[in-house]
Amino acid sequence: MYVAVKGGEAAILNSYQLLARQRRGDVSQPELSVAQIRQQLKLAVDRVMTEGSVYDPELAALAIKQAAGDLVEAIFLLRAYRATLPRLGTTCPLDTSRMALDRRISATFKDLPGGQVLGPTYDYTQRLLDFKLLAEGPGMESAGTAVAPSATPPSPTPRVVDLLNHEGLIETRPVPPGDPAPTDLTREPLRFPANRATRLQNLARGDEGFLLAMAYSTQRGYSHSHPFVGEVRLGTVAVEIVPEELGFAIDIGDIEITECEMVNQFAGSKSQPPQFTRGYGLAFGHSERKAMAMGLVDRALRADELGEPVESPAQMQEFVLGHSDSLEASGFVQHLKLPHYVDFQSELELVRKMRAAAAHPTTPAEEDAA
C-alpha cells in the first residue's frame, strides 16, 4: 500500500543535524579549516570558482567545506551567493599577453621565445600512491625540495599562435567595429543560435566532466578536427576597470588563470584557404583539463561558421550548451528523489488497467456493443 510520508518538517530538521554530523566526521580528529582547504585543496577550489563564476578562493573553500567535498553542491552554494551580490562595474578584457607565467608549455613548438616553463604538473608523475603522506600529521611538513624563487620577475612572452600569424598560416579574428557587448548569461537566458562569445561564457561555467566527455568524443572521430595544444599558460594577470570619473584604466588586482589555445587543421572552404584554426579555453586558477576541454569543444562548435558538416554531438550547440551546466543537470536528476506520489499512483493505475485489458481481451462484438 502506498501512503504519503507524514511529519516531514521534523524529519527535514533532523536531516540537517545528521548532515552536520556527517560533515564533521570523527570529533577526535582535528576539524578541517577553510584556510586548509584553500591552501591544500587548491585544484578543487579553482574548479568551484570557475564553475561558480566567482573568483574568491576563501568563499570557494567555505563552499567545499559546507558541501562536505561535493564540488557540484559547492558550485551551487557559490552561485547562489553570487546571485545576492550587487553589480558594481565591468572590467576591461584581460590582456593575457602580459600574464606573469608560472607554467607555459606547447606541444607544437619545442623551442619557444621565452622557453617552455614546466611549473607544477602531474604530467610526469607515475600515478603511484605516495604512502609517505599517511605518515604526515599536524606540524609535519611534507617531504620535498624547496624551489628557490626566481631572482628576476619573468618577462611577458609572445603567444605560440603569433608564430603562425607571421606566416599567415592561422586564422585571425580581429574585433569588428561596433562589436556589441557579450550576453551576460547570469542575467539573461541562453538563446539559440548563440554567438561565440556566449558559447565561451557557457563553456567556462560548464561542468568539467561533461566538457571532458565532449572533448574526448572529438578525438574519437566524432568531429572533423585534428587538435594540437598550441599553448597552455598558467599565471597571474591584472584586472582593470575604467572608472567613469577618471576615464582611464586602473589596476584593481591580479587573478590566477589558465589559458589554452588549441590549433586545429582546416581544409579550407570557398572563401577561406587551407589554414589552421583555433579553439580557446580559459578558467580560473590552475584548471588545465577544463581549459583544454573547453578549447576542443569551442573548436567543434565552430563547425557551422567554418562551413563544416555538423554531424556529431560536440558540434551541436543546442545539445552541448543546453546540457553543460552542472547545476541544471544535477537539479533535474536529483529532483527525482522528491515526492512524486500522485504521478506514480496515476502511472500505477494505468499499468493495472493495461494488464487487466491484456489478460481479458474483448471480442469485436463486445467492442461494438460497448
Side-chain angles (χ1 to χ4, degrees):
M1 182 177 181
Y2 301 92
V3 296
V5 176
K6 297 181 180 180
E9 183 177 358
I12 290 173
L13 294 176
N14 287 336
S15 75
Y16 291 166
Q17 298 178 8
L18 292 173
L19 183 62
R21 186 184 305 172
Q22 175 183 276
R23 178 171 56 239
R24 176 59 179 88
D26 188 351
V27 294
S28 65
Q29 299 295 324
E31 184 175 1
L32 190 63
S33 69
V34 171
Q36 287 174 309
I37 295 173
R38 175 178 177 176
Q39 294 297 326
Q40 299 176 42
L41 298 180
K42 181 182 184 303
L43 300 184
V45 168
D46 291 346
R47 176 179 175 181
V48 171
M49 289 195 304
T50 298
E51 297 180 29
S53 300
V54 177
Y55 190 91
D56 192 316
E58 184 176 44
L59 290 181
L62 172 61
I64 292 172
K65 178 174 181 176
Q66 184 175 336
D70 184 339
L71 298 189
V72 174
E73 181 69 18
I75 292 163
F76 198 156
L77 292 169
L78 193 58
R79 281 211 205 165
Y81 176 73
R82 183 189 191 280
T84 69
L85 300 176
R87 180 66 60 88
L88 300 178
T90 303
T91 64
C92 302
L94 298 179
D95 185 359
T96 57
S97 66
R98 296 189 291 140
M99 186 188 305
L101 297 175
D102 295 318
R103 173 165 162 78
R104 184 247 194 156
I105 60 168
S106 172
T108 52
F109 292 98
K110 179 181 179 181
D111 298 316
L112 298 170
Q116 306 260 10
V117 182
L118 194 60
T121 179
Y122 288 104
D123 291 347
Y124 306 101
T125 61
Q126 294 179 310
R127 265 77 176 200
L128 300 176
L129 284 175
D130 185 358
F131 290 98
K132 292 183 295 184
L133 298 177
L134 291 174
E136 295 176 1
M140 298 180 62
E141 295 295 332
S142 176
T145 303
V147 178
S150 175
T152 58
S155 58
T157 54
R159 291 188 177 91
V160 167
V161 294
D162 292 339
L163 303 177
L164 298 173
N165 275 337
H166 293 323
E167 296 186 57
L169 296 178
I170 193 168
E171 62 172 335
T172 57
R173 297 183 63 84
V175 178
D179 185 40
T183 300
D184 185 351
L185 289 181
T186 66
R187 296 187 169 195
E188 300 179 33
L190 178 64
R191 293 185 174 88
F192 298 105
N195 59 28
R196 192 181 182 200
T198 303
R199 298 198 303 262
L200 287 171
Q201 186 180 166
N202 180 284
L203 296 178
R205 291 159 51 88
D207 179 70
E208 181 179 313
F210 179 85
L211 293 186
L212 188 63
M214 289 290 99
Y216 181 47
S217 75
T218 68
Q219 297 175 276
R220 297 277 292 176
Y222 292 94
S223 181
H224 299 276
S225 62
H226 185 199
F228 297 91
V229 174
E231 189 172 14
V232 172
R233 290 173 164 235
L234 167 68
T236 55
V237 64
V239 178
E240 298 178 333
I241 62 172
V242 179
E244 293 182 2
E245 61 272 20
L246 296 180
F248 57 86
I250 61 172
D251 188 336
I252 61 172
D254 298 329
I255 62 173
E256 183 184 47
I257 61 170
T258 300
E259 182 184 44
C260 174
E261 289 196 270
M262 287 287 178
V263 177
N264 296 72
Q265 293 179 357
F266 178 55
S269 63
K270 294 181 179 179
S271 59
Q272 296 291 333
Q275 60 184 328
F276 290 108
T277 54
R278 309 183 189 200
Y280 186 75
L282 186 143
F284 287 150
H286 193 175
S287 307
E288 290 182 28
R289 185 169 54 232
K290 171 64 178 286
M292 291 177 65
M294 181 178 169
L296 289 170
V297 177
D298 169 52
R299 173 57 181 83
L301 290 174
R302 299 182 59 206
D304 189 54
E305 68 184 74
L306 293 172
E308 298 172 339
V310 177
E311 302 171 335
S312 305
Q315 297 173 302
M316 302 173 184
Q317 62 171 267
E318 290 195 31
F319 178 81
V320 174
L321 303 183
H323 299 91
S324 63
D325 192 278
S326 64
L327 269 61
E328 292 187 12
S330 175
F332 211 75
V333 170
Q334 294 200 87
H335 97 281
L336 297 174
K337 297 183 293 185
L338 299 176
H340 288 74
Y341 309 124
V342 174
D343 293 340
F344 180 70
Q345 289 298 319
S346 64
E347 293 283 342
L348 185 64
E349 187 63 26
L350 177 61
V351 171
R352 285 171 175 164
K353 290 179 179 179
M354 293 170 64
R355 286 175 64 90
H360 304 286
T362 58
T363 64
E366 290 175 330
E367 291 179 358
D368 293 339

